[in-house]
Amino acid sequence: MDTVIVREGQQDFHQKVAEAGEAIKNGKLVVFPTETVFGLGANALDDEACKGIYRAKGRPSDNPLIVHVSDMEMAFSLIKEYDDRFIKLAEAFWQGPISFVLKKNDRVCETVSAGLDTVAIRMPNHDIALELIRCSGVPIAAPSANISGRPSPTRSEHVIFDLSSRVDYIICSDTFPIGLESTVLDLSSEETVILRPGWVTAKMIEEKTGISVKSHDTNKEVSVPKSPGTKYKHYSPKAKVFMVDENFLASDVESFSKSKAVDSEKTKLLSYENDVEMAKNLFADFRQADKDGYELIIVKPATDGDLLEANLNRLKKACEN
Ligand code: TXA
Ligand code: MG
C-alpha cells in the first residue's frame, strides 16, 4: 500500500488533512498526532474500516479502541446513557488526555468495542487531530499508532518506521506530545474507576469535580479484565528492560550487566529526575536504544510528581516482557 506522508510545514497541509479526513470517512486508515501519543485512526462507525486497524497493528481483537470526537454533540451521538459525572468531567478536562468509558449505542461498530457494551471516548487537545475529525465528519477510532506490543509512538519518525505501507496517510507533527496515553476512566457503572492511569490523576479529578475515584489494580489477575488492553504485552523495546531504585549508580552498570550475562557496552542506563521529562521521553528513549543496538535497558525512574503512577505503570509493563 502507498502511504501518503503529510508534513506540518508543507504548503498544502490543510488541503491534505481534508483529503485524509475524506479518506477516513471512506473506510481508509490515517495516522495522526494527538497531545498524548500518535493515533492510528479509522471511521468508528464502519466495522470493516476498524478491522483494518487491528490488521495494521497486529492487535489482539478483544482489545477495544478509544473513539476520538471533536465536540460534545459527536460524543453524545455514541452513547446510550450518561449521568452528571460525564458532564462535569468533560467540562473540567476536555479537550484533554482523558477517555471516558460509557454505555454505547448501536452506532458504535462491534469492532470498536470488541464485544463490550461500552465505548471509551476522548476529545483530544490537539489542533490537527480536531481538524481531521471535523474534516471526516465522523468519530475516529484510534489506538496508539505502534505495532502491537511496541512502545507507543511519540515522534513522527516512530510512526513512519512502524506503519508506512500499512496505512493510507500519515500526518506528521513537529511538536512533542505528553508521551503518556490518556487516563481511561470508567463511568459505565456507579463507581468511578481509573482503568489506566495517565496525565489526569485521581487527585486532579477529585479536586476539580469533587468526584471520588477508585483505582483499578491492573497488576491483579482478573478473569475478565475491565480494560482488556491492560493484560497484554505492552510498551516493549527489543532490549530487556529492568527498573532500579534511586540508590543505583552509573558505576553499578557493569556488575548489573554481568549478572544478566550482557556486555556492559550493550547496556543503556536511562535516568530521569523529573516525572514530566520521563513521560515525554521514555518511549522515544526505548526506541532509540533499540536503534543503537543495546540489549539491556536499565531505567532509574523519577520518584515523585503527579505522573509517578502512570510512569511506573508503563515501565513495569515494559519490564514484564
Ligand atoms: O492517549 C490515548 O489514549 C491514545 C491516543 C491515540 O488517543 N490512544 C491509546 O489507545 O492509547 P490504545 O488502544 O493504545 O489504548 C486504549 C486503552 C486500552 O487499554 C483499552 O483496553 C482501553 O483503552 N479501552 C478502550 N475501550 C474500552 C472500553 N470500552 N472499556 C474499557 N477499556 C477500554
Ligand atoms: Mg497502545
Side-chain angles (χ1 to χ4, degrees):
M1 178 191 295
D2 280 343
T3 302
V4 179
I5 311 259
V6 182
R7 297 191 188 271
E8 219 179 334
Q10 76 186 56
Q11 223 183 7
D12 57 351
F13 178 73
H14 295 289
Q15 191 188 322
K16 287 288 176 205
V17 173
E19 265 177 47
E22 191 65 25
I24 288 254
K25 198 168 90 190
N26 295 323
K28 306 276 196 239
L29 299 178
V30 176
V31 170
F32 62 99
T34 83
E35 82 281 31
T36 58
V37 300
F38 282 80
L40 165 53
N43 180 350
L45 312 178
D46 179 339
D47 210 54
E48 274 309 308
C50 289
K51 281 187 181 142
I53 292 179
Y54 289 82
R55 275 197 297 273
K57 277 194 66 138
R59 180 180 175 101
S61 61
D62 67 343
N63 190 6
L65 307 172
I66 293 174
V67 179
H68 299 68
V69 298
S70 53
D71 54 51
M72 285 305 279
E73 197 185 329
M74 201 182 256
F76 287 130
S77 77
L78 304 171
I79 55 190
K80 189 160 141 192
E81 54 194 51
Y82 63 92
D83 55 36
D84 280 356
R85 287 176 300 174
F86 174 51
I87 305 298
K88 265 195 195 164
L89 286 158
E91 260 171 22
F93 295 105
W94 274 1
Q95 301 133 338
I98 185 163
S99 303
F100 302 119
V101 173
L102 292 150
K103 289 266 188 260
K104 72 171 190 105
N105 67 25
D106 293 342
R107 288 189 79 223
V108 180
C109 72
E110 272 297 303
T111 300
V112 162
S113 47
L116 300 173
D117 62 353
T118 54
V119 60
I121 310 177
R122 163 167 128 76
M123 196 187 293
N125 183 16
H126 195 289
D127 288 346
I128 300 174
L130 293 168
E131 184 176 337
L132 180 72
I133 303 167
R134 286 187 197 115
C135 288
S136 74
V138 293
I140 298 182
S144 51
N146 49 284
I147 296 290
S148 200
R150 313 280 303 148
S152 297
T154 53
R155 311 280 187 268
S156 299
E157 68 256 31
H158 303 164
V159 281
I160 292 172
F161 183 81
D162 274 16
L163 292 173
S164 54
S165 83
R166 290 171 172 253
V167 298
D168 298 283
Y169 285 82
I170 293 179
I171 305 176
C172 300
S173 167
D174 304 329
T175 46
F176 286 174
I178 292 168
L180 267 178
E181 306 85 345
S182 63
T183 305
V184 178
L185 188 71
D186 187 11
L187 302 177
S188 68
S189 57
E190 259 168 46
E191 275 185 346
T192 307
V193 184
I194 293 189
L195 300 177
R196 176 176 73 181
W199 181 273
V200 177
T201 62
K203 188 165 150 246
M204 291 178 201
I205 293 171
E206 287 173 10
E207 276 173 10
K208 272 200 157 179
T209 64
I211 296 170
S212 58
V213 173
K214 284 202 165 173
S215 199
H216 173 71
D217 185 356
T218 53
N219 296 316
K220 248 197 226 152
E221 244 347 282
V222 281
S223 53
V224 183
K226 240 329 195 167
S227 200
T230 54
K231 74 180 183 201
Y232 288 110
K233 175 176 155 71
H234 250 105
Y235 316 118
S236 319
K238 291 200 192 82
K240 278 254 167 221
V241 183
F242 289 90
M243 176 164 74
V244 293
D245 67 18
E246 67 267 28
N247 300 315
F248 191 92
L249 303 172
S251 54
D252 297 326
V253 167
E254 188 151 354
S255 58
F256 192 93
S257 305
K258 212 170 168 185
S259 74
K260 303 292 173 203
V262 172
D263 183 347
S264 59
E265 301 275 295
K266 293 276 175 196
T267 300
K268 178 79 187 170
L269 174 63
L270 298 174
S271 184
Y272 302 99
E273 296 290 317
N274 171 296
D275 62 326
V276 175
E277 175 224 0
M278 177 169 168
K280 245 194 166 108
N281 294 303
L282 183 70
F283 293 142
D285 290 344
F286 278 173
R287 283 174 178 264
Q288 189 61 45
D290 274 351
K291 214 169 153 189
D292 295 340
Y294 289 102
E295 290 170 15
L296 196 69
I297 300 173
I298 302 173
V299 184
K300 193 171 160 181
T303 51
D304 54 15
D306 284 339
L307 303 186
L308 179 65
E309 193 196 351
N311 278 335
L312 293 184
N313 168 274
R314 306 306 190 271
L315 178 55
K316 281 181 186 159
K317 283 186 193 293
C319 291
E320 280 165 18
N321 306 135

